[in-house]
Amino acid sequence: MESRIDERYRLLIIDHYLASAKEGVLKNGDKKWVFVCPFCGPLGRTEGRKKHLKGSLLWNVQQNSWVFYCVKKGGADCMNSKTLGNLISALNPALGEAYKKDRWHSGTTGKGHNIGAPRSITGIGTCGQKFSRP
């Protein structure tokens, strides 16, 4: 089941970064989103090729998360699949850090999860001193 954090950020990137996104269903019943690949879509030679829906977000049951795939693999950023967090970071690094912070606050980063901790988290320690967690 998709977490609220993943759902919020998935809908945010679909609305702002993924052109012509359409929801669909795979043969096994899992959900998918197809769209123009944000990395290699603009590289098409003709206007028609620039609008091909070659990128997709597929639900991965083992990771319990969305994974980005590009069928065309026309750019360096779409050669390998990416987790939702890596896709967000590739599209907008500041938004990627915000996603990692939200996941960190919910306790779903680091070992045993599909995303690492954010670069810097600052809070108040037990004695009032500031601390930073890598």
Side-chain angles (χ1 to χ4, degrees), residues 56-70:
S56 60
L57 279 175
L58 304 173
W59 182 253
N60 186 318
V61 178
Q62 289 81 18
Q63 291 183 4
N64 198 29
S65 181
W66 293 95
V67 179
F68 166 77
Y69 290 99
C70 176

Side-chain angles (χ1 to χ4, degrees), residues 60-133:
N60 186 318
V61 178
Q62 289 81 18
Q63 291 183 4
N64 198 29
S65 181
W66 293 95
V67 179
F68 166 77
Y69 290 99
C70 176
V71 176
K72 189 175 177 184
K73 298 186 188 302
D77 283 323
C78 59
M79 292 301 268
N80 298 315
S81 62
K82 296 181 184 305
T83 62
L84 180 62
N86 290 340
L87 175 64
I88 294 169
S89 293
L91 294 172
N92 183 334
L95 186 63
E97 278 299 305
Y99 172 73
K100 288 180 181 181
K101 285 180 184 178
D102 283 350
R103 291 276 306 262
W104 185 82
H105 287 295
S106 71
T108 57
T109 61
K111 188 174 181 179
H113 299 283
N114 64 354
I115 193 166
R119 291 188 181 174
S120 65
I121 293 289
T122 305
I124 303 298
T126 56
C127 299
Q129 73 273 19
K130 296 214 176 230
F131 69 93
S132 179
R133 180 177 167 182

Side-chain angles (χ1 to χ4, degrees), residues 1-19:
M1 184 170 157
E2 182 178 24
S3 72
R4 289 184 185 187
I5 295 170
D6 284 356
E7 180 182 19
R8 184 173 68 234
Y9 280 91
R10 175 181 52 85
L11 294 175
L12 182 69
I13 65 167
I14 286 172
D15 287 343
H16 296 307
Y17 296 100
L18 306 177

Side-chain angles (χ1 to χ4, degrees), residues 27-77:
K27 290 180 182 178
N28 63 2
D30 289 339
K31 291 182 182 179
K32 70 175 180 176
W33 285 87
V34 293
F35 43 84
V36 175
C37 178
F39 306 112
C40 68
L43 302 175
R45 289 178 285 184
T46 64
E47 284 303 311
R49 290 192 183 248
K50 290 179 182 181
K51 296 178 183 177
H52 283 169
L53 304 177
K54 298 294 183 180
S56 60
L57 279 175
L58 304 173
W59 182 253
N60 186 318
V61 178
Q62 289 81 18
Q63 291 183 4
N64 198 29
S65 181
W66 293 95
V67 179
F68 166 77
Y69 290 99
C70 176
V71 176
K72 189 175 177 184
K73 298 186 188 302
D77 283 323

